[in-house]
Amino acid sequence: MAAGARPTNPPPSRFVLPILGLVALGLCVGGILVLIEPHGGQNLLAAIYDALGNGAGATELRNGSGDQLVARIILAVIAVGVGVGGIWLLFLGVGGLVGMLRPAWRDRILPWVFVGPALILLATYLLYPGAATVARSFFDAKGAFTLDNYAVMTTPSMIEILRNNVIWLVVATGGSVILGLVIAGLFDRIRREALAKTFIFLPLAISLIGASVIWGFMYAWEPAGQPQIGLLNAIVTGLGGQPIPFFTTSPLNIAAEMVIMVWLQTGFAMVVLSAAIKGVSTEIIEAARLDGAGERQLFFRIIVPSIRGSIVTVTTTVAIATLKIFDIVYVTTGGRFHDDVVANRMFHEMFQFFNDGRAAALATLLFIAVLPVMYLNLRNFRRQQVER
Amino acid sequence: MANRWRATSALAIGVLMVAGACSSNATPSAPGASGSAAPSGPAAVPTVPTGYAELDKALGADKPYSGKTVDIQVQWTGGELANFQASLADFAKATGINVQVDSVPSSHETVLKSRIEGGSPPDIAQLAQPTPVLAYAAEGKVIDVSKFMDPNKLKTDYPATIGLVSANGGVWGIPYKADVKSTVWYPIKAFEAKGYKVPTTWDELIALSDKIVADGSNPWCISAGGPGDATGWQITDWIEEVVLKTKGTQYYNDWISHKVTFEDPGIKDAFDKYVGKIFFTPNYVYGGPQAIINTDQKTTMDPMFNQDMQAPKCWMQKVPTWYGPDFFPDQRASGQPSKYIVGKDVGIFPFPTIDPNQNNAEGSADTMMMLADRPEVRAVEQFLSTPQGLQRWIEAGSAISPNTATPADWYAGSYKLQVASNIVSKASGIGFDASDLMPGAVGAGTFWTQSVDWVNNDGKNTDAVLKAIDDSWPAQ
């Protein structure tokens, strides 16, 4: 060997990572294939058993008995591995690839790399179904193109439904926000503030359906002369009146249902507005007091305008929840006593009348109704950004 | 049309088998209560060869389908669920197939639709109405059972009902369990104590109601079927019963197909003259008309059990034959079999005739629809189509089979089933529940909601209600 000549070994580390990455990618693809196939876990384990010479175990697995639990555990491990590890690899790999580009290109593409998967998921599970729903609303139950699904919005029963939604929007939202604001203002300086607020906030933890069942008992009706199990009717009959069937009397039933919604949402409004009120700078309040402002003037002239952004946020959030209202109406009356709402009607059209087109039209209508509220929310958000 | 005519006039044939052995034996021997009867004697499986390839294979000694799972989604719960599971138990043991029953009591149709449309349907699903079965079949989601079950045998076994689930050359389900709806439940001993006689005509029914009112009580407990979303179906049953008994089965079938509209005088009379008379005559209904739409269907008959049934607060309830002791207040509360025996304490009489020439009865049937095609699923569907598929339920005294091959002596010893069979055998015609056959938007929609509205308005807005139902009929 010639003196001074060194054996040249190309440093292997440059290729190790990419090769490992490719191997891992292959494993992920294989994992996804196993996950997609029905009985993938069982077949994989059966194949492993076959390779290990355990033919009997393999046959058992394929027949639906044998080591099913092991197969399921393998499937779970693959799912977690692909889900967590695969995504991590994806970001690592694509980030590495983009990192090798020229700086100008890199800066342009790298943000898209990180946002890309989320955008794809949003497009698949939000944009595509949304567009498909709007498209579906133009076809009738047999598949023919029609504008009928929108034309029926003018029938008296639909007008009643739309009227009910407007009532819900105005009264339930207004009630929750105003009540939340008043309570937030009143609780601002009492002694056991946290305890009091907890009681108001607690209903928010209950689902809409649970709340409807609870209030169903509050409003329960028994024939006159029988013991009343509903609290309200017990009071009414105790004072000498006739029991009132709250849920079957229109329009009282809409009010009764809205009470449930207000009961749930007031806590949310109160918490947000209370935090906002506490955020108003004390200097302004002191200055106002020095100028001789009374408590009421202080509240309505100083505090409320200062927290306007929060009020708008709360109002839009509650408004969207109110526009979508379904659970309360479905559980209490099924919408059968002139208190039907759009979401409830959409449910019936879809699942009982097998009229997907009309259900899609109602969903589209709801979507259009929510758009202005969303716009208000965004505008408010942007204004808050500017103010900061 | 021929389908409907055959179906409604021949549900009688399906259940008439029951009449043959039972008509002379009127004394209830065993306690005819529902709830699982102890299986006695041979296992409730058909003898091989059954004529069905997959079923014969499944019952073979080598149990080729052993270990496989077949899942069935049903809306039955409580006593009905227990009886269904009992009917499957011997089959599961004999074949080794793991038959898994998913009970989804509320929102069964919603869950089912989501599963079907989402691509992961149950293997078999139970539906109480034929209309959605045909709707799913039109979408191509249902397996045509005539491909592996002889359609001629099906026609022979189910002359009354197979037509309702057949369309476009295919058979899309197996009628499994039938119910008679023309039944009124009453407290036997209290009637005897007061000297009341079971009415057989409409005039006698009204006279009895007036007498009970005069004696200071309310004759009827009525519930619309609520609460919430289910409200309304019982009102439609009342209307259908009256239409059948005043206008006959041909008119009834024309009404289902919309040849006769809701605004026809015959339907209007059913509302105003007959059902309205029961619902709105002062003091007829316990709690008044408001109670009809505010009472839960589970607790409707509770006032009848007042003071151990010695001082009932209401005396009659019209409810189908699937009703039973698991609805009685003491069994509901304790979970133990009720101490009130159907046949000794609680009786059933046929809904009285109105027009003596129109002694028709109303019935309905559940369908088992197949959604996945595998050999073991075929075996289960074939088993459900044999009489043994319902045997334990029949023996528990709670089910009637639409299969004409069902041995008549299975019904012996059950007071309720004997009453049902008498109704069917004496009926001149049978009508299948109309709201189950009308298009969904009406049959599960406006017919219910408008009937509820009619009761909520004390029956004063009949014309508006009938017009609204007619207007909602989907364009064909």
Side-chain angles (χ1 to χ4, degrees), chain A residues 240-280:
Chain A
Q242 292 284 56
I244 307 171
F246 287 94
F247 285 137
T248 58
T249 316
S250 172
L252 185 61
N253 47 15
I254 306 181
E257 290 161 14
M258 285 196 290
V259 165
I260 305 176
M261 188 66 172
V262 169
W263 183 70
L264 284 168
Q265 296 292 343
T266 299
F268 166 70
M270 177 205 71
V271 160
V272 174
L273 293 174
S274 173
I277 288 178
K278 290 202 192 303
V280 175

Side-chain angles (χ1 to χ4, degrees), chain A residues 221 223 226 245 248 330-334 336-338 347-348 350-354 356, chain B residues 110 113 136 228-229 231 286-287 290-291 294 313 440-441 444-445 448-449 452-453 456:
Chain A
W221 175 95
Q226 301 306 314
T248 58
Y330 181 75
V331 169
T332 54
T333 62
R336 290 179 190 271
F337 296 97
H338 296 286
F347 174 84
H348 283 192
M350 175 82 177
F351 290 104
Q352 285 184 357
F353 310 162
F354 284 87
D356 296 1
Chain B
T110 315
K113 186 166 163 78
Y136 284 126
D229 204 44
T231 317
Y286 172 79
Q290 273 303 316
N294 273 299
K313 294 202 185 152
W448 290 22
T449 54
V452 165
D453 199 45
N456 206 11

Side-chain angles (χ1 to χ4, degrees), chain B residues 71-75 102 104 108 111-112 115 122 124-126:
Chain B
D71 67 310
I72 309 182
Q73 183 176 326
V74 303
Q75 71 183 103
D102 286 329
V104 187
H108 163 70
V111 173
L112 184 61
R115 289 184 73 180
I124 298 177
Q126 165 254 341

Side-chain angles (χ1 to χ4, degrees), chain B residues 49 53 147 402 470:
Chain B
K147 294 262 183 312
D470 271 336

